[in-house]
Amino acid sequence: MGVTANQFLNLEGNVDLPMDLGVTAYTGLGYRFWERDLLGDGGYREIYHWFYVPIGARYTLPLSSNVDVTLDGTLKIMFAGSMTAYLAFNPDFALGSRLGYKIQAPIDIKTGDHITFNIVSWLEYSSIGKSNIVVFREDDGTYGGFQEPNSRTYQYGMNIGITTTL
């Protein structure tokens, strides 16, 4: 069994659309970067990146004057995805677009006028559609092809942080 080292970067900007009953809808634009190093014999590096449109809604429930719990769900519409595999040559693959989602439950604990502790549990699903076929020519004149297959990824975690206001 091989070992894989992963690095992720997400950038996302949203516009809130307040609605009735305390629900806030939002949409925006996001970018995802994923570097995947397959370590060991025969290992190589892959770099993925794609854009997405998040469409989501969140509801915040105040439990007390200093504790809020939020439920937040986002549908992510992927587009313009690509992957480069760093092999003997570096083929670029155009990835198929798929839907993903993220569900999170932030808890905010206010400790004073300027400091809030944040705890966020989350689950994210992303899916990549199969790519185009990249054709290459061997030294002996024969041709071959590579294709990135369909794939899906489930990730989950918890973020802990502090927010300050001036």
Side-chain angles (χ1 to χ4, degrees), residues 11-142:
L11 300 173
E12 183 175 310
N14 291 316
V15 175
D16 286 351
L17 309 164
M19 301 168 60
D20 292 335
L21 304 173
V23 174
T24 299
Y26 58 88
T27 188
L29 182 64
Y31 172 76
R32 174 125 170 141
F33 172 88
W34 173 20
E35 181 176 346
R36 182 173 118 157
D37 288 317
L38 302 147
L39 306 173
D41 292 341
Y44 62 96
R45 184 169 56 126
E46 299 174 330
I47 294 183
Y48 297 78
H49 59 92
W50 61 83
F51 292 91
Y52 61 91
V53 173
I55 300 173
R58 70 177 165 271
Y59 175 76
T60 299
L61 176 66
L63 295 183
S64 70
S65 61
N66 58 345
V67 178
D68 293 336
V69 174
T70 301
L71 300 175
D72 188 333
T74 309
L75 180 66
K76 296 183 174 190
I77 304 168
M78 173 189 173
F79 66 97
S82 68
M83 187 271 281
T84 301
Y86 294 88
L87 303 163
F89 71 110
N90 301 332
D92 290 315
F93 299 89
L95 302 175
S97 295
R98 292 284 179 94
L99 294 178
Y101 63 82
K102 185 171 187 177
I103 301 166
Q104 50 189 348
I107 299 171
D108 296 328
I109 304 165
K110 299 173 191 78
T111 61
D113 291 337
H114 303 291
I115 296 176
T116 303
F117 289 100
N118 317 106
I119 303 168
V120 182
S121 299
W122 54 270
L123 167 70
E124 185 168 8
Y125 167 80
S126 56
S127 180
I128 297 171
K130 70 180 176 180
S131 74
N132 59 315
I133 297 173
V134 175
V135 177
F136 66 95
R137 184 170 186 230
E138 296 280 359
D139 292 338
D140 65 4
T142 60

